[in-house]
Amino acid sequence: MRKAPTILHLDMDAFYASAEQASKPSLRGKAVVVGGLGPRGVVATASYEARVFGVHSAMPMAQARRLAPNAAYLVPRFGFYKAISEQVMGLLRELSPLVEPLSLDEAFVDLEAGGTAWDEGSARLAGAKLRADIRAVTGLTGSVGLAASKMLAKIASEQAKPDGLVVIEPGTERALLGPMSVRILPGVGPATGDHLRRAGIHTVDEIVEAGEDELVRLLGKAHGHGLYAMALAYDERPVVAERETKSVSVEDTYDVDIHDRVRVSLEVQRLADRCVRRLRGAGLSGRTIVLKVRRYDFSTLTRSETLRGPTDDPAVVREAALRLLEGVDSTGGVRLLGVGVSGLADFTQEDLFAQAAGERVESTAEEEVDDAAVPEVTAAVERRWVAGHDVRHAEYGHGWVQGSGLGRVTVRFETPASEPGRVRTFLVEDPALEPAEPLPLVEALDSHSPPVTQDVPGAQAPASSVPASFPKSRSGSAGGAATSRP
């Protein structure tokens, strides 16, 4: 018996860039690139207008600027995107209890488990309604794929882009997959793809023609069997609502290599504190502290230390990370640092200070470290105007930063509901100008909901804190929390 196409895959269209265009009327219909703007920055998302010039995700930002010099280049506003994601995930959870988020803008849904769909017709109606609800609540578009399995549903959503819906009808799966590249199958990355290509296998049909025994010979038993089944359109992976978090980590890449050992130590302490805030925000603790160091020559070193029991104490994590740093040669410079915690648990073991320092560290000492290491950085961030981020002027109202430099900051004053606004330039220290929180993309009946909290680079707010939701939609749905993977 053929299975009905009741597995839904949603993928928001150019999510970060589309959210920025919806937030900024002057950028609608224009090339927008979101990502790190420093010398080593990479593209997180490019609008469809920017993709025409060849700009795509994971491309070095310097290359993107060469391809599309007139595009708008913006720093991500992750708090803003998380709030929109919560609205979208809430709509998905209204369809079914089995929702598997893959990222802020992508998720699988088992419609049959929610009683929302049981055949092709009901699935198609559910997908169409979801797209309409997303547009009504967020003002953005998403592409929907419907099929009998996760693999096929994801392929369908790719075919639906942008802003479409594609259903893979039962019985058509093999014909659809056959001429496609082997890279379309889950588990076939660049290395496996190259291995198959060297064996003369380029398409899914050629995998089937080669046979299962040949796949096992080329790729090993587990991978060969699994890939052959996928080529025959067999994918029994279920939609899993909750996926266990295996680790929590944070890392920073620096525009200029850090050579000063004291500065490296301070950065490690700051990252450790950020990691603990994320850990606590998730209600977790961990036993294994991990330090990641990428040096000037791109060599990456990872060091770890396992404690006697799980902890979420910043002093313990901070000092363990510093001990790990002692065994790393940073001569020549450091371009990336990261601190993580694994071996997670939902409880802590008391009195672990002695593991970190051999003696109990009082809370006042922790405060002294924070006060000594952070105030200068915090003060600098307070008057750092980040491209694309929100501001408010006492006279001109809400706007966003177009750029800054040479003691000046340029602001365009507009809101999601306004016409394209005017541009004005101010001194960076203008007391009438201050950072602001993003405005909701869609006006709603509930005007008393709290505003969205915006992430500001370098700010000391908990990295795992959930931003305040946008106002509820007209249907009253506040949206569920999205799964966030560190």
Side-chain angles (χ1 to χ4, degrees), residues 17-54:
S18 294
E20 296 296 349
Q21 289 176 317
S23 178
K24 302 171 172 65
S26 60
L27 298 184
R28 293 170 190 169
K30 298 182 180 179
V32 174
V33 181
V34 180
L37 302 188
R40 293 171 178 164
V42 297
V43 175
T45 306
S47 70
Y48 287 99
E49 296 85 354
R51 296 180 190 187
V52 171
F53 298 98

mmCIF file of all heavy atoms in Angstrom, residues 17-54:
data_model
loop_
_atom_site.group_PDB
_atom_site.id
_atom_site.type_symbol
_atom_site.label_atom_id
_atom_site.label_comp_id
_atom_site.label_asym_id
_atom_site.label_seq_id
_atom_site.Cartn_x
_atom_site.Cartn_y
_atom_site.Cartn_z
ATOM 1 N N ALA A 17 17.413 37.486 4.934
ATOM 2 C CA ALA A 17 17.341 38.603 3.993
ATOM 3 C C ALA A 17 15.901 39.053 3.781
ATOM 4 O O ALA A 17 15.617 40.253 3.694
ATOM 5 C CB ALA A 17 17.979 38.210 2.663
ATOM 6 N N SER A 18 14.968 38.097 3.697
ATOM 7 C CA SER A 18 13.563 38.457 3.514
ATOM 8 C C SER A 18 13.024 39.203 4.729
ATOM 9 O O SER A 18 12.233 40.141 4.581
ATOM 10 C CB SER A 18 12.728 37.202 3.260
ATOM 11 O OG SER A 18 13.084 36.596 2.032
ATOM 12 N N ALA A 19 13.452 38.790 5.928
ATOM 13 C CA ALA A 19 13.025 39.502 7.137
ATOM 14 C C ALA A 19 13.548 40.936 7.133
ATOM 15 O O ALA A 19 12.848 41.872 7.531
ATOM 16 C CB ALA A 19 13.514 38.762 8.378
ATOM 17 N N GLU A 20 14.778 41.115 6.664
ATOM 18 C CA GLU A 20 15.337 42.466 6.597
ATOM 19 C C GLU A 20 14.598 43.317 5.556
ATOM 20 O O GLU A 20 14.327 44.498 5.780
ATOM 21 C CB GLU A 20 16.831 42.399 6.272
ATOM 22 C CG GLU A 20 17.687 41.718 7.328
ATOM 23 C CD GLU A 20 17.702 42.466 8.650
ATOM 24 O OE1 GLU A 20 17.224 43.622 8.704
ATOM 25 O OE2 GLU A 20 18.184 41.888 9.643
ATOM 26 N N GLN A 21 14.267 42.738 4.429
ATOM 27 C CA GLN A 21 13.528 43.482 3.408
ATOM 28 C C GLN A 21 12.140 43.869 3.908
ATOM 29 O O GLN A 21 11.672 44.981 3.665
ATOM 30 C CB GLN A 21 13.412 42.652 2.122
ATOM 31 C CG GLN A 21 14.722 42.503 1.366
ATOM 32 C CD GLN A 21 14.574 41.604 0.168
ATOM 33 O OE1 GLN A 21 13.941 40.557 0.234
ATOM 34 N NE2 GLN A 21 15.165 42.002 -0.955
ATOM 35 N N ALA A 22 11.476 42.954 4.626
ATOM 36 C CA ALA A 22 10.150 43.264 5.160
ATOM 37 C C ALA A 22 10.227 44.338 6.232
ATOM 38 O O ALA A 22 9.312 45.152 6.378
ATOM 39 C CB ALA A 22 9.518 41.993 5.739
ATOM 40 N N SER A 23 11.339 44.362 6.951
ATOM 41 C CA SER A 23 11.516 45.343 8.020
ATOM 42 C C SER A 23 11.905 46.712 7.488
ATOM 43 O O SER A 23 11.642 47.733 8.144
ATOM 44 C CB SER A 23 12.593 44.838 8.993
ATOM 45 O OG SER A 23 12.842 45.766 10.020
ATOM 46 N N LYS A 24 12.512 46.747 6.302
ATOM 47 C CA LYS A 24 13.082 47.985 5.766
ATOM 48 C C LYS A 24 12.504 48.252 4.368
ATOM 49 O O LYS A 24 12.993 47.700 3.371
ATOM 50 C CB LYS A 24 14.606 47.866 5.705
ATOM 51 C CG LYS A 24 15.261 47.582 7.064
ATOM 52 C CD LYS A 24 16.727 47.254 6.893
ATOM 53 C CE LYS A 24 17.451 47.164 8.236
ATOM 54 N NZ LYS A 24 16.970 46.061 9.080
ATOM 55 N N PRO A 25 11.477 49.084 4.252
ATOM 56 C CA PRO A 25 10.817 49.299 2.954
ATOM 57 C C PRO A 25 11.759 49.721 1.842
ATOM 58 O O PRO A 25 11.546 49.358 0.678
ATOM 59 C CB PRO A 25 9.808 50.410 3.271
ATOM 60 C CG PRO A 25 9.524 50.259 4.728
ATOM 61 C CD PRO A 25 10.810 49.808 5.351
ATOM 62 N N SER A 26 12.815 50.448 2.160
ATOM 63 C CA SER A 26 13.737 50.922 1.121
ATOM 64 C C SER A 26 14.532 49.796 0.483
ATOM 65 O O SER A 26 15.153 49.983 -0.575
ATOM 66 C CB SER A 26 14.699 51.967 1.710
ATOM 67 O OG SER A 26 15.455 51.403 2.766
ATOM 68 N N LEU A 27 14.549 48.588 1.116
ATOM 69 C CA LEU A 27 15.329 47.466 0.581
ATOM 70 C C LEU A 27 14.478 46.451 -0.176
ATOM 71 O O LEU A 27 15.012 45.482 -0.716
ATOM 72 C CB LEU A 27 16.069 46.746 1.716
ATOM 73 C CG LEU A 27 17.101 47.573 2.482
ATOM 74 C CD1 LEU A 27 17.818 46.700 3.506
ATOM 75 C CD2 LEU A 27 18.100 48.210 1.530
ATOM 76 N N ARG A 28 13.184 46.658 -0.211
ATOM 77 C CA ARG A 28 12.312 45.696 -0.881
ATOM 78 C C ARG A 28 12.573 45.698 -2.381
ATOM 79 O O ARG A 28 12.628 46.744 -3.012
ATOM 80 C CB ARG A 28 10.852 46.013 -0.571
ATOM 81 C CG ARG A 28 10.526 45.773 0.901
ATOM 82 C CD ARG A 28 9.167 46.290 1.305
ATOM 83 N NE ARG A 28 9.037 46.239 2.764
ATOM 84 C CZ ARG A 28 8.046 46.817 3.446
ATOM 85 N NH1 ARG A 28 7.104 47.490 2.786
ATOM 86 N NH2 ARG A 28 8.012 46.739 4.759
ATOM 87 N N GLY A 29 12.772 44.487 -2.911
ATOM 88 C CA GLY A 29 13.058 44.361 -4.330
ATOM 89 C C GLY A 29 14.501 44.624 -4.690
ATOM 90 O O GLY A 29 14.851 44.623 -5.871
ATOM 91 N N LYS A 30 15.357 44.813 -3.694
ATOM 92 C CA LYS A 30 16.767 45.111 -3.950
ATOM 93 C C LYS A 30 17.659 44.010 -3.391
ATOM 94 O O LYS A 30 17.252 43.203 -2.561
ATOM 95 C CB LYS A 30 17.129 46.466 -3.337
ATOM 96 C CG LYS A 30 16.334 47.614 -3.942
ATOM 97 C CD LYS A 30 16.745 48.940 -3.358
ATOM 98 C CE LYS A 30 15.937 50.081 -3.991
ATOM 99 N NZ LYS A 30 16.296 51.395 -3.412
ATOM 100 N N ALA A 31 18.904 44.005 -3.834
ATOM 101 C CA ALA A 31 19.859 42.985 -3.383
ATOM 102 C C ALA A 31 20.250 43.245 -1.938
ATOM 103 O O ALA A 31 20.694 44.345 -1.594
ATOM 104 C CB ALA A 31 21.098 43.000 -4.276
ATOM 105 N N VAL A 32 20.072 42.224 -1.084
ATOM 106 C CA VAL A 32 20.410 42.322 0.337
ATOM 107 C C VAL A 32 21.254 41.116 0.714
ATOM 108 O O VAL A 32 20.908 39.976 0.377
ATOM 109 C CB VAL A 32 19.135 42.367 1.213
ATOM 110 C CG1 VAL A 32 19.498 42.319 2.693
ATOM 111 C CG2 VAL A 32 18.313 43.611 0.906
ATOM 112 N N VAL A 33 22.355 41.367 1.405
ATOM 113 C CA VAL A 33 23.240 40.299 1.857
ATOM 114 C C VAL A 33 23.411 40.431 3.362
ATOM 115 O O VAL A 33 23.774 41.506 3.865
ATOM 116 C CB VAL A 33 24.613 40.370 1.166
ATOM 117 C CG1 VAL A 33 25.509 39.231 1.636
ATOM 118 C CG2 VAL A 33 24.456 40.327 -0.353
ATOM 119 N N VAL A 34 23.151 39.347 4.088
ATOM 120 C CA VAL A 34 23.248 39.338 5.547
ATOM 121 C C VAL A 34 24.388 38.425 5.957
ATOM 122 O O VAL A 34 24.502 37.292 5.468
ATOM 123 C CB VAL A 34 21.933 38.849 6.186
ATOM 124 C CG1 VAL A 34 22.034 38.841 7.703
ATOM 125 C CG2 VAL A 34 20.764 39.713 5.746
ATOM 126 N N GLY A 35 25.251 38.914 6.852
ATOM 127 C CA GLY A 35 26.357 38.088 7.320
ATOM 128 C C GLY A 35 27.391 38.908 8.051
ATOM 129 O O GLY A 35 27.158 40.068 8.405
ATOM 130 N N GLY A 36 28.552 38.315 8.304
ATOM 131 C CA GLY A 36 29.631 39.031 8.960
ATOM 132 C C GLY A 36 30.289 39.998 8.000
ATOM 133 O O GLY A 36 30.672 39.623 6.890
ATOM 134 N N LEU A 37 30.444 41.252 8.419
ATOM 135 C CA LEU A 37 30.945 42.280 7.519
ATOM 136 C C LEU A 37 32.448 42.502 7.630
ATOM 137 O O LEU A 37 33.006 43.323 6.902
ATOM 138 C CB LEU A 37 30.206 43.602 7.769
ATOM 139 C CG LEU A 37 28.684 43.556 7.619
ATOM 140 C CD1 LEU A 37 28.106 44.962 7.688
ATOM 141 C CD2 LEU A 37 28.268 42.872 6.327
ATOM 142 N N GLY A 38 33.107 41.792 8.558
ATOM 143 C CA GLY A 38 34.553 41.952 8.711
ATOM 144 C C GLY A 38 35.308 41.293 7.571
ATOM 145 O O GLY A 38 34.730 40.634 6.691
ATOM 146 N N PRO A 39 36.638 41.438 7.573
ATOM 147 C CA PRO A 39 37.462 40.863 6.498
ATOM 148 C C PRO A 39 37.293 39.361 6.346
ATOM 149 O O PRO A 39 37.497 38.822 5.264
ATOM 150 C CB PRO A 39 38.887 41.218 6.929
ATOM 151 C CG PRO A 39 38.740 42.406 7.820
ATOM 152 C CD PRO A 39 37.447 42.217 8.543
ATOM 153 N N ARG A 40 36.933 38.683 7.415
ATOM 154 C CA ARG A 40 36.770 37.231 7.350
ATOM 155 C C ARG A 40 35.308 36.810 7.433
ATOM 156 O O ARG A 40 35.008 35.648 7.667
ATOM 157 C CB ARG A 40 37.562 36.573 8.472
ATOM 158 C CG ARG A 40 39.065 36.750 8.289
ATOM 159 C CD ARG A 40 39.821 36.296 9.501
ATOM 160 N NE ARG A 40 41.263 36.428 9.290
ATOM 161 C CZ ARG A 40 42.139 36.399 10.265
ATOM 162 N NH1 ARG A 40 41.745 36.251 11.513
ATOM 163 N NH2 ARG A 40 43.427 36.524 10.005
ATOM 164 N N GLY A 41 34.408 37.752 7.244
ATOM 165 C CA GLY A 41 32.989 37.448 7.317
ATOM 166 C C GLY A 41 32.526 36.559 6.173
ATOM 167 O O GLY A 41 33.149 36.501 5.111
ATOM 168 N N VAL A 42 31.432 35.829 6.400
ATOM 169 C CA VAL A 42 30.827 35.002 5.367
ATOM 170 C C VAL A 42 29.357 35.352 5.240
ATOM 171 O O VAL A 42 28.753 35.918 6.158
ATOM 172 C CB VAL A 42 30.974 33.491 5.675
ATOM 173 C CG1 VAL A 42 32.428 33.086 5.694
ATOM 174 C CG2 VAL A 42 30.301 33.142 6.991
ATOM 175 N N VAL A 43 28.778 35.021 4.109
ATOM 176 C CA VAL A 43 27.374 35.308 3.842
ATOM 177 C C VAL A 43 26.501 34.298 4.576
ATOM 178 O O VAL A 43 26.693 33.083 4.451
ATOM 179 C CB VAL A 43 27.088 35.236 2.326
ATOM 180 C CG1 VAL A 43 25.598 35.409 2.046
ATOM 181 C CG2 VAL A 43 27.903 36.283 1.587
ATOM 182 N N ALA A 44 25.558 34.799 5.371
ATOM 183 C CA ALA A 44 24.591 33.925 6.032
ATOM 184 C C ALA A 44 23.406 33.668 5.112
ATOM 185 O O ALA A 44 22.965 32.522 4.958
ATOM 186 C CB ALA A 44 24.112 34.546 7.345
ATOM 187 N N THR A 45 22.870 34.720 4.510
ATOM 188 C CA THR A 45 21.758 34.604 3.567
ATOM 189 C C THR A 45 21.836 35.748 2.571
ATOM 190 O O THR A 45 22.184 36.869 2.935
ATOM 191 C CB THR A 45 20.395 34.673 4.285
ATOM 192 O OG1 THR A 45 20.348 33.709 5.328
ATOM 193 C CG2 THR A 45 19.261 34.375 3.317
ATOM 194 N N ALA A 46 21.468 35.466 1.345
ATOM 195 C CA ALA A 46 21.374 36.498 0.307
ATOM 196 C C ALA A 46 19.963 36.501 -0.247
ATOM 197 O O ALA A 46 19.360 35.444 -0.440
ATOM 198 C CB ALA A 46 22.378 36.229 -0.817
ATOM 199 N N SER A 47 19.422 37.681 -0.489
ATOM 200 C CA SER A 47 18.097 37.773 -1.088
ATOM 201 C C SER A 47 18.148 37.235 -2.508
ATOM 202 O O SER A 47 19.223 37.102 -3.121
ATOM 203 C CB SER A 47 17.616 39.224 -1.088
ATOM 204 O OG SER A 47 18.379 39.997 -2.008
ATOM 205 N N TYR A 48 16.984 36.942 -3.058
ATOM 206 C CA TYR A 48 16.945 36.406 -4.420
ATOM 207 C C TYR A 48 17.502 37.416 -5.413
ATOM 208 O O TYR A 48 18.097 37.039 -6.438
ATOM 209 C CB TYR A 48 15.522 35.998 -4.780
ATOM 210 C CG TYR A 48 15.109 34.727 -4.064
ATOM 211 C CD1 TYR A 48 14.329 34.768 -2.916
ATOM 212 C CD2 TYR A 48 15.538 33.485 -4.515
ATOM 213 C CE1 TYR A 48 13.970 33.605 -2.243
ATOM 214 C CE2 TYR A 48 15.193 32.316 -3.857
ATOM 215 C CZ TYR A 48 14.407 32.388 -2.717
ATOM 216 O OH TYR A 48 14.073 31.231 -2.053
ATOM 217 N N GLU A 49 17.324 38.704 -5.131
ATOM 218 C CA GLU A 49 17.886 39.730 -6.004
ATOM 219 C C GLU A 49 19.408 39.691 -6.000
ATOM 220 O O GLU A 49 20.052 39.952 -7.019
ATOM 221 C CB GLU A 49 17.398 41.112 -5.577
ATOM 222 C CG GLU A 49 15.900 41.330 -5.704
ATOM 223 C CD GLU A 49 15.106 40.839 -4.506
ATOM 224 O OE1 GLU A 49 15.707 40.208 -3.601
ATOM 225 O OE2 GLU A 49 13.891 41.071 -4.466
ATOM 226 N N ALA A 50 20.012 39.350 -4.851
ATOM 227 C CA ALA A 50 21.473 39.248 -4.768
ATOM 228 C C ALA A 50 21.975 37.959 -5.406
ATOM 229 O O ALA A 50 23.088 37.906 -5.945
ATOM 230 C CB ALA A 50 21.921 39.323 -3.314
ATOM 231 N N ARG A 51 21.161 36.915 -5.379
ATOM 232 C CA ARG A 51 21.583 35.638 -5.955
ATOM 233 C C ARG A 51 21.742 35.724 -7.467
ATOM 234 O O ARG A 51 22.469 34.923 -8.063
ATOM 235 C CB ARG A 51 20.573 34.552 -5.573
ATOM 236 C CG ARG A 51 20.528 34.293 -4.065
ATOM 237 C CD ARG A 51 19.531 33.227 -3.685
ATOM 238 N NE ARG A 51 19.347 33.182 -2.233
ATOM 239 C CZ ARG A 51 18.628 32.261 -1.595
ATOM 240 N NH1 ARG A 51 18.043 31.291 -2.278
ATOM 241 N NH2 ARG A 51 18.509 32.319 -0.280
ATOM 242 N N VAL A 52 21.052 36.671 -8.069
ATOM 243 C CA VAL A 52 21.196 36.869 -9.514
ATOM 244 C C VAL A 52 22.648 37.173 -9.873
ATOM 245 O O VAL A 52 23.135 36.800 -10.944
ATOM 246 C CB VAL A 52 20.279 38.022 -9.985
ATOM 247 C CG1 VAL A 52 20.562 38.389 -11.436
ATOM 248 C CG2 VAL A 52 18.820 37.626 -9.821
ATOM 249 N N PHE A 53 23.374 37.822 -8.952
ATOM 250 C CA PHE A 53 24.775 38.184 -9.187
ATOM 251 C C PHE A 53 25.739 37.064 -8.801
ATOM 252 O O PHE A 53 26.957 37.234 -8.897
ATOM 253 C CB PHE A 53 25.124 39.442 -8.404
ATOM 254 C CG PHE A 53 24.318 40.648 -8.808
ATOM 255 C CD1 PHE A 53 23.211 41.038 -8.078
ATOM 256 C CD2 PHE A 53 24.654 41.378 -9.936
ATOM 257 C CE1 PHE A 53 22.453 42.141 -8.451
ATOM 258 C CE2 PHE A 53 23.914 42.489 -10.319
ATOM 259 C CZ PHE A 53 22.806 42.862 -9.583
ATOM 260 N N GLY A 54 25.204 35.933 -8.345
ATOM 261 C CA GLY A 54 26.049 34.806 -7.962
ATOM 262 C C GLY A 54 26.367 34.738 -6.482
ATOM 263 O O GLY A 54 27.151 33.884 -6.059
#
